[in-house]
Amino acid sequence: MLLNLKDPILFFDLETTGLNVASDRIVELSILKVMPHGGEEIKTRRLNPTIPISEEATAIHHITNEEVAGCPTFKEIAKSLAQWIEGCDLAGYNSIKFDIPILAEEFLRAGVPVDFRKRKIIDVQNIFHKMEQRTLIAAYKFYCNKDLSNAHSAEADTFATYEVLQSQLARYPELKNQVDFLAEFSSINRNLDYAGRIILNEEDEPIVNFGKHKGKKLREVLLTIDPNYYDWIMKGDFTLDTKRVLTEFKSSIQGI
């Protein structure tokens, strides 16, 4: 099924050094750009993460430190990549919780301004979980009746995600073939930061979304409940983006 697109949309997948969105890095990046008229362009490349790949990660994606030692770093491709993805919406599998926060951190470290908040984001995993409650390999078998033989290869997972979304649209008549609808339907929370540590409630107030203050208004936590909370976040193992969002909010309420 041809997607109903107003803007180009990027289906992408990352293989990384580990699972920590604040400190781990990208070792393989694959992006499938789908144009409104149906044309497709794929870019896949491996990157030198500049930090060791964990043994656990290598066991999954089979990419070793030696294989990426001579590859470019993310910083070296950041500007050209930002230009290529400019104006595009995004789609991925578990992308809201993992891939987008990781990618955003890489751009921040490279000093290249990219704001994914201005784009629509479709998370195919969230659609799948709302509809069927399974994993990507099972999703590919369930929706496309195919075996994902090269799972955890960024390019294979990228194309599989694209095919799964097309099959989901064909299977469920209640899913509108519109990026705006799919982005809203596949979202879980309204995140202020990519990692989802701070979200908006129904009254558009920032809420803490983790830890002992989960569910509390961020304003009240910073001003009265836990005045040291800001310093704890800034010194902790949190993403640069989370720290930036928190700093901007703290500045907006200072003196009030």
Side-chain angles (χ1 to χ4, degrees), residues 151-175:
H152 300 299
S153 153
E155 185 167 312
D157 289 356
T158 294
F159 274 104
T161 300
Y162 180 37
E163 288 185 56
V164 167
L165 179 57
Q166 291 174 307
S167 297
Q168 287 174 330
L169 289 168
R171 178 179 289 267
Y172 305 114
E174 62 267 38
L175 291 180

Side-chain angles (χ1 to χ4, degrees), residues 15 22 31 34 46 58 66-67 72 74 89 92 108 111 116 127 144 153 172-173 179 189 194 221 223 229 236:
E15 303 302 338
I31 304 177
V34 181
R46 289 187 175 180
T58 294
E66 292 74 20
E67 289 174 328
F74 186 90
D89 294 320
L108 283 169
F116 296 123
I127 294 176
C144 306
S153 153
Y172 305 114
V179 171
N189 295 311
Y194 296 122
V221 171
L223 292 180
Y229 190 71

Side-chain angles (χ1 to χ4, degrees), residues 168-187:
Q168 287 174 330
L169 289 168
R171 178 179 289 267
Y172 305 114
E174 62 267 38
L175 291 180
K176 297 179 183 178
N177 190 351
Q178 299 172 356
V179 171
D180 287 0
F181 173 86
L182 293 170
E184 182 177 355
F185 186 83
S186 62
S187 66

Side-chain angles (χ1 to χ4, degrees), residues 88 90 107 112-119 194 241 244:
C88 297
L90 298 101
F107 276 117
V112 176
V114 174
D115 190 356
F116 296 123
R117 296 179 181 89
K118 296 179 179 179
R119 310 311 306 175
Y194 296 122
D241 177 64
R244 181 176 64 177

Side-chain angles (χ1 to χ4, degrees), residues 11-15 60 91-95 99 123-129 132-165 168:
F11 287 81
F12 77 105
D13 186 72
L14 310 176
E15 303 302 338
I60 293 173
Y93 198 89
N94 194 32
S95 55
D99 297 86
D123 195 317
V124 173
Q125 184 189 59
N126 289 344
I127 294 176
F128 185 32
H129 285 177
E132 303 295 344
Q133 303 293 310
R134 292 187 185 145
T135 68
L136 176 60
I137 294 174
Y140 196 58
K141 182 68 174 179
F142 181 85
Y143 288 111
C144 306
N145 196 27
K146 300 178 184 178
D147 292 320
L148 186 52
S149 59
N150 199 17
H152 300 299
S153 153
E155 185 167 312
D157 289 356
T158 294
F159 274 104
T161 300
Y162 180 37
E163 288 185 56
V164 167
L165 179 57
Q168 287 174 330

Side-chain angles (χ1 to χ4, degrees), residues 7-246:
D7 299 310
I9 188 168
L10 307 174
F11 287 81
F12 77 105
D13 186 72
L14 310 176
E15 303 302 338
T16 62
T17 58
L19 298 177
N20 189 316
V21 297
S23 58
D24 279 305
R25 309 291 177 88
I26 298 171
V27 298
E28 187 174 59
L29 168 69
S30 186
I31 304 177
L32 172 65
K33 180 186 285 189
V34 181
M35 308 303 291
H37 56 72
E40 301 173 5
E41 183 180 356
I42 184 77
K43 288 184 180 292
T44 302
R45 74 182 310 163
R46 289 187 175 180
L47 300 169
N48 181 344
T50 71
I51 65 172
I53 304 172
S54 69
E55 293 182 1
E56 294 80 6
T58 294
I60 293 173
H61 52 55
H62 307 297
I63 301 172
T64 66
N65 291 295
E66 292 74 20
E67 289 174 328
V68 296
C71 295
T73 65
F74 186 90
K75 186 174 183 178
E76 290 173 322
I77 70 162
K79 288 184 179 179
S80 61
L81 178 61
Q83 292 172 353
W84 190 67
I85 69 175
E86 186 176 359
C88 297
D89 294 320
L90 298 101
Y93 198 89
N94 194 32
S95 55
I96 291 176
K97 289 184 178 179
F98 185 74
D99 297 86
I100 287 176
I102 286 272
L103 188 58
E105 285 296 289
E106 291 280 28
F107 276 117
L108 283 169
R109 279 190 287 263
V112 176
V114 174
D115 190 356
F116 296 123
R117 296 179 181 89
K118 296 179 179 179
R119 310 311 306 175
K120 301 298 182 184
I121 300 171
I122 298 173
D123 195 317
V124 173
Q125 184 189 59
N126 289 344
I127 294 176
F128 185 32
H129 285 177
K130 286 185 177 182
M131 294 299 190
E132 303 295 344
Q133 303 293 310
R134 292 187 185 145
T135 68
L136 176 60
I137 294 174
Y140 196 58
K141 182 68 174 179
F142 181 85
Y143 288 111
C144 306
N145 196 27
K146 300 178 184 178
D147 292 320
L148 186 52
S149 59
N150 199 17
H152 300 299
S153 153
E155 185 167 312
D157 289 356
T158 294
F159 274 104
T161 300
Y162 180 37
E163 288 185 56
V164 167
L165 179 57
Q166 291 174 307
S167 297
Q168 287 174 330
L169 289 168
R171 178 179 289 267
Y172 305 114
E174 62 267 38
L175 291 180
K176 297 179 183 178
N177 190 351
Q178 299 172 356
V179 171
D180 287 0
F181 173 86
L182 293 170
E184 182 177 355
F185 186 83
S186 62
S187 66
I188 301 298
N189 295 311
R190 293 191 295 157
N191 295 350
L192 279 182
D193 64 324
Y194 296 122
R197 300 290 191 174
I198 306 169
I199 64 175
L200 292 176
N201 64 11
E202 294 180 355
E203 288 75 39
D204 291 332
E205 299 170 303
I207 299 295
V208 178
N209 193 39
F210 75 102
K212 64 181 181 180
H213 296 311
K214 184 174 182 178
K216 298 176 184 177
K217 295 180 180 179
L218 181 59
R219 176 191 180 95
E220 295 176 357
V221 171
L222 293 177
L223 292 180
T224 58
I225 298 174
D226 190 351
N228 295 320
Y229 190 71
Y230 174 80
D231 290 336
W232 176 71
I233 292 287
M234 298 307 290
K235 295 175 182 177
D237 187 21
F238 296 93
T239 67
L240 297 175
D241 177 64
T242 298
K243 294 176 181 180
R244 181 176 64 177
V245 169
L246 183 63

